[in-house]
Amino acid sequence: MTDNQTAQAHIDAWTHSIEAISELLAPLPTDAWNRPTECPGWSVRDIVSHIIGFESELLGDPRPIHALPSDLRHVTTETARYLELPVDKRRCHTPVEITSELEYTIIRRSRALRNARHQPTDLVRWPLGPQGEEIPYVQLLRMRVFDVWVHEQDLRRALREPGNLASPGALVTRDLLLSGLPQVVAKRAGAPAGTTLAVEVTGPVEFLRTVRVDADGRGTADESVTLAPDARLTLDWETYLRLACGRVRPEAVTDRVRIQGDHELSARVLANFSLTP
């Protein structure tokens, strides 16, 4: 695809996921809004508030003036504090207020995306980076697809409403997570030079990647098959997602991950699998 086609595909994937969230929330009883999710510290209400807050900021809305409580144990970094502020601000809002705000935010953001004149490579502000950091417009779109689709899945697991595991947002997320896999193996897990590790994922999204660590300790991943890798991990797509996004610890899903070969190396890889802050 051309850069413009990729940007449009990202917009379409974002639209698919955020509208799916809106549909998921429409019939929700009041007590379900406080149900905890696998996203550390956040309830169903909090995830929806986060999506509203971030999309509103991208629309140019001012950040709310609000003092965070000091007892939020899941807030341990400056990034977490930044993300928590618009969430905590909305904890006193009713489900009707949050649902209405989400619907209005989707309308405004969809219009802004349709009318945007950015080229894919144009630099735009990235709120989570250092002051004044800019990234290519197509990268910002990709990150919004990832964030919204991952949170859609957080909500679906919490509400026991599975679905969209192979949607356009899932494929964008797959590619983003796979781009970090070589670093997980070579750097975080400290796999020695010459190591090969195969990762096979089954389910709605299937893929096989072989990670190789070169003589300089750098990792690369490709789709080629190695007959005798040093280690091989086999797991389903949803488990891969949950591990890579820090939603679950490896010891909680041992029954869903098959390890072959070097168990010690595999354990280090799984312990460092999360790519999210």
Side-chain angles (χ1 to χ4, degrees):
M1 288 193 294
T2 66
D3 287 347
N4 283 318
Q5 289 172 326
T6 298
Q8 185 59 53
H10 288 351
I11 292 171
D12 293 343
W14 174 88
T15 301
H16 185 277
S17 288
I18 205 163
E19 289 184 349
I21 289 173
S22 182
E23 292 171 8
L24 194 63
L25 299 174
L28 210 58
T30 300
D31 60 346
W33 283 82
N34 293 323
R35 192 172 296 175
T37 72
E38 288 183 343
C39 188
W42 282 0
S43 65
V44 167
R45 174 198 303 274
D46 295 337
I47 282 180
V48 181
S49 296
H50 160 69
I51 292 170
I52 293 169
F54 208 103
E55 298 296 342
S56 296
E57 186 165 356
L58 291 176
L59 283 164
D61 294 354
R63 282 176 59 78
I65 299 173
H66 180 68
L68 284 179
S70 59
D71 59 348
L72 300 175
R73 289 187 290 179
H74 61 284
V75 178
T76 59
T77 66
E78 285 306 309
T79 296
R81 289 185 62 82
Y82 190 95
L83 294 174
E84 190 73 21
L85 194 145
V87 171
D88 192 69
K89 175 72 173 179
R90 289 174 171 83
R91 285 198 169 108
C92 61
H93 292 193
T94 67
V96 171
E97 289 172 328
I98 295 175
T99 301
S100 298
E101 188 179 12
L102 175 66
E103 291 173 354
Y104 184 49
T105 302
I106 293 173
I107 292 170
R108 294 176 62 213
R109 187 80 174 113
S110 297
R111 184 186 300 122
L113 289 169
R114 283 196 306 272
N115 295 335
R117 294 294 177 260
H118 296 301
Q119 293 301 308
T121 55
D122 288 349
L123 295 179
V124 294
R125 177 178 172 267
W126 176 238
L128 289 183
Q131 185 89 19
E133 181 181 6
E134 295 182 324
I135 62 175
Y137 180 59
V138 72
Q139 184 180 343
L140 181 142
L141 294 176
R142 182 189 191 202
M143 294 303 295
R144 292 314 303 144
V145 175
F146 168 75
D147 188 58
V148 172
W149 183 80
V150 169
H151 285 315
E152 178 195 342
Q153 294 305 313
D154 287 330
L155 294 172
R156 288 187 178 280
R157 287 193 300 276
L159 300 171
R160 300 179 185 87
E161 293 284 350
N164 286 348
L165 277 168
S167 68
L171 302 183
V172 173
T173 298
R174 173 202 60 192
D175 293 344
L176 192 150
L177 294 177
L178 281 173
S179 69
L181 186 58
Q183 182 184 21
V184 166
V185 176
K187 301 301 182 184
R188 296 187 181 184
T195 295
T196 56
L197 180 138
V199 178
E200 181 180 4
V201 172
T202 62
V205 175
E206 296 183 336
F207 54 88
L208 172 65
R209 294 292 186 276
T210 300
V211 180
R212 295 176 172 81
V213 183
D214 66 18
D216 296 320
R218 290 189 295 265
T220 58
D222 58 53
E223 298 180 40
S224 63
V225 177
T226 298
L227 295 180
D230 296 294
R232 184 184 186 96
L233 302 176
T234 304
L235 63 165
D236 65 272
W237 166 231
E238 189 170 18
T239 301
Y240 185 99
L241 168 70
R242 293 168 72 201
L243 286 167
C245 293
R247 293 333 194 228
V248 66
R249 296 293 302 160
E251 54 268 23
V253 290
T254 54
D255 60 326
R256 304 188 70 168
V257 181
R258 182 186 179 197
I259 298 175
Q260 296 170 281
D262 189 334
H263 277 245
E264 195 274 333
L265 170 63
S266 298
R268 291 205 313 272
V269 169
L270 291 170
N272 291 278
F273 215 70
S274 176
L275 294 171
T276 56

